Amino acid sequence: GSTRVMERALEHAQTVFTSQSPPGRKQVLLMLTSSKLSDEEKLKAVRSTMDLGVQTFGVTVRKLSTRMPDDLAAAGQMKTLVSVVHDDHVIDLQLGDVEKKVLMAICDRT
């Protein structure tokens, strides 16, 4: 399920950060999900291996403009997986806003 996909992605990110990232390069991980993940503790364990030096941010994506209980649960769970400044490192967006508010801001060359 979605937990296994996120777990594999985190494991791959860990490999990149520990063996393929040039020294001194800023290490940032952006996690996106559209639902609550089923095994939060397993993901916390994998993610915690990156605590030193990796800034982790999370985006929860919802279909509707109104936040449904499942959306709130996913956002709350994401706060447990990101870096220490939990409220500043998680954003909850409607699907149509992801490109403008996340991708374009990250890719802004200025």
Side-chain angles (χ1 to χ4, degrees), residues 2 9 19-20 26 38 51 53 59 66-67 70 81 90 95 98:
S2 60
S19 65
Q20 299 173 6
K26 194 173 206 174
S38 60
D51 276 341
V59 178
T66 304
R67 288 174 179 86
D70 288 346
L81 298 172
V90 174
L95 182 59
V98 172

Side-chain angles (χ1 to χ4, degrees), residues 17-18 27 47-56 83:
F17 290 139
T18 57
Q27 296 178 332
R47 220 252 353 117
S48 70
T49 63
M50 291 185 278
D51 276 341
L52 298 175
V54 179
Q55 283 195 321
T56 309
S83 298

Side-chain angles (χ1 to χ4, degrees), residues 22-34:
R25 181 171 284 174
K26 194 173 206 174
Q27 296 178 332
V28 177
L29 177 66
L30 178 64
M31 298 185 295
L32 290 106
T33 187
S34 61

Side-chain angles (χ1 to χ4, degrees), residues 73-100:
Q77 182 186 54
M78 186 64 82
K79 286 182 182 182
T80 70
L81 298 172
V82 298
S83 298
V84 176
V85 190
H86 303 298
D87 289 334
D88 291 344
H89 285 211
V90 174
I91 189 169
D92 169 41
L93 296 172
Q94 192 170 358
L95 182 59
D97 293 335
V98 172
E99 180 181 8
K100 180 175 72 176

